[in-house]
Amino acid sequence: MNSTKHKLFHWGAIGSLALLIIWCVAWEMWISPYKPGGSWLVLKAVPLLFPLLGVIKRDIYTLQWTSMMILLYFTEGVVRAWGDKLTPWLGWGEVAIVVVYFLCAILYVQPYKKAAKQAAKELLEKVNTSKTE
């Protein structure tokens, strides 16, 4: 499972997660904070720090649960893009980064899921044949 595409999906997941962290911090501290000088919304980047090491280490479980967690940032990006009159591009940028991460994470995990299903199917067949004997 170390094809070039597989490596590309892994690096895409790492890069987009790191970019999303930087994007969120820059957005809430300098580019367009709710209050001058930065806002407490910068803390929305903190939950993204927890899975970063697991994504770097290629932990399948981390990639699976973060592909669901990241959808919160998708929702936030759409809401902020729709509601912000001055800088909607920040919200749409967040949405784009989230979509890249989601696709990379799902496509990276896909071969492992297929292999796990095949192994489960073989084990079930083995159990069923041993019961009939």
Side-chain angles (χ1 to χ4, degrees):
M1 291 188 217
N2 282 331
S3 70
T4 305
K5 278 200 301 188
H6 203 242
K7 289 179 183 178
L8 180 68
F9 295 143
H10 178 242
W11 283 105
I14 293 171
S16 57
L17 184 59
L19 181 60
L20 185 59
I21 293 167
I22 294 165
W23 189 271
C24 290
V25 170
W27 183 359
E28 300 302 342
M29 288 300 292
W30 303 291
I31 300 172
S32 182
Y34 273 131
K35 294 182 180 182
S39 72
W40 283 97
L41 279 175
V42 75
L43 294 176
K44 72 181 180 184
V46 172
L48 296 170
L49 294 171
F50 295 118
L52 187 59
L53 187 59
V55 172
I56 291 169
K57 289 184 176 182
R58 302 170 191 236
D59 183 36
I60 300 302
Y61 181 72
T62 301
L63 284 154
Q64 286 176 326
W65 70 261
T66 55
S67 68
M68 296 284 88
M69 178 200 72
I70 204 85
L71 296 177
L72 294 170
Y73 291 86
F74 178 86
T75 305
E76 190 240 358
V78 169
V79 169
R80 300 263 316 257
W82 225 272
D84 193 353
K85 301 296 183 209
L86 297 175
T87 54
W89 60 271
L90 288 167
W92 294 124
E94 183 177 23
V95 168
I97 296 167
V98 167
V99 168
V100 169
Y101 178 82
F102 183 79
L103 291 174
C104 286
I106 295 298
L107 292 171
Y108 182 82
V109 169
Q110 186 180 20
Y112 294 102
K113 298 291 276 184
K114 282 184 181 179
K117 282 183 182 179
Q118 183 63 31
K121 183 179 177 182
E122 290 172 3
L123 181 62
L124 189 58
E125 288 173 1
K126 186 185 272 188
V127 168
N128 286 338
T129 56
S130 66
K131 282 184 179 180
T132 58
E133 292 176 359

